[in-house]
Amino acid sequence: MSHAELCTTSNFTFLKGASHPEELVTRAAELGLSAIAITDHNSLAGVVRAYAALKEMKRTASESISIRSSQQMDHSSRQVTGGTSLMRPDIGTQLPKLIVGARLVLQDSHVHWVALPKDRKGYEALSQLLTLGKRRAEKGECHLWHRDVLERAKGMTLIALPQAHHRPTA
């Protein structure tokens, strides 16, 4: 049975996510997940690092690592003797698929929206939506409203994540 994680926050979401995207995709591979979506708050930043990490994992998974400790040096002839031991990297047999996404945190909603583009047009729409929100705000912030998502979410799968309401204590 395969499993995919569709809402993973990396350390690119300040004070929310703790792990680097590279660590998240490595752990997903170790667990045998079929897919992982990196969905940072109003950002695609973690996806870029996750993609680079998976690309490197794919390259190294096909290579074997030589273990030199199984080789010995004949000091009189200065030649290496003994066999070379090969080790495969310790990851799952199949790397997880990376799903591009972002968690949209809106100014006028208690619901966060995980936005997962279905195709290139959906990715373009998500990028434009995030750019719109960042242009409205000061550096490091993103101001999006519910109407923005309704107008620009074409080509995306949206998953609603209601947030807990915190009531003041007396």
Side-chain angles (χ1 to χ4, degrees):
M1 186 169 157
S2 62
H3 177 76
E5 181 58 52
L6 297 178
C7 187
T8 307
T9 303
S10 78
N11 65 342
F12 280 94
T13 300
F14 187 61
L15 297 177
K16 301 285 183 192
S19 297
H20 295 277
E22 299 89 344
E23 295 169 331
L24 294 170
V25 295
T26 300
R27 187 65 178 141
E30 291 170 351
L31 293 172
L33 296 182
S34 61
I36 183 169
I38 304 294
T39 54
D40 287 306
H41 292 204
N42 295 333
S43 175
L44 294 168
V47 173
V48 176
R49 293 267 181 97
Y51 175 79
L54 277 172
K55 188 175 176 183
E56 179 65 15
M57 289 169 66
K58 200 174 289 186
R59 186 188 68 76
T60 59
S62 63
E63 298 174 358
S64 297
I65 301 168
S66 175
I67 303 174
R68 294 185 316 161
S69 62
S70 62
Q71 299 175 352
Q72 296 179 357
M73 174 68 82
D74 180 355
H75 295 289
S76 61
S77 66
R78 296 187 185 207
Q79 292 183 354
V80 176
T81 61
T84 302
S85 178
L86 297 177
M87 182 178 82
R88 308 261 322 151
D90 187 26
I91 60 171
T93 56
Q94 190 165 1
L95 295 176
K97 175 184 176 187
L98 178 62
I99 301 172
V100 175
R103 181 187 278 211
L104 303 176
V105 180
L106 308 179
Q107 299 293 307
D108 61 346
S109 178
H110 292 290
V111 174
H112 290 185
W113 295 92
V114 174
L116 306 173
K118 296 177 186 178
D119 53 23
R120 180 174 231 149
K121 290 264 190 205
Y123 177 79
E124 182 179 318
L126 179 56
S127 296
Q128 289 174 353
L129 180 63
L130 293 172
T131 299
L132 173 70
K134 291 181 186 295
R135 284 184 177 167
R136 288 179 178 155
E138 292 185 32
K139 185 175 175 129
E141 295 183 25
C142 184
H143 293 169
L144 292 171
W145 281 267
H146 191 253
R147 71 175 184 275
D148 298 326
V149 175
L150 290 176
E151 292 170 0
R152 293 173 176 84
K154 188 172 184 175
M156 293 182 239
T157 298
L158 297 173
I159 302 170
L161 300 174
Q163 301 302 298
H165 294 262
H166 298 293
R167 295 183 181 162
T169 56

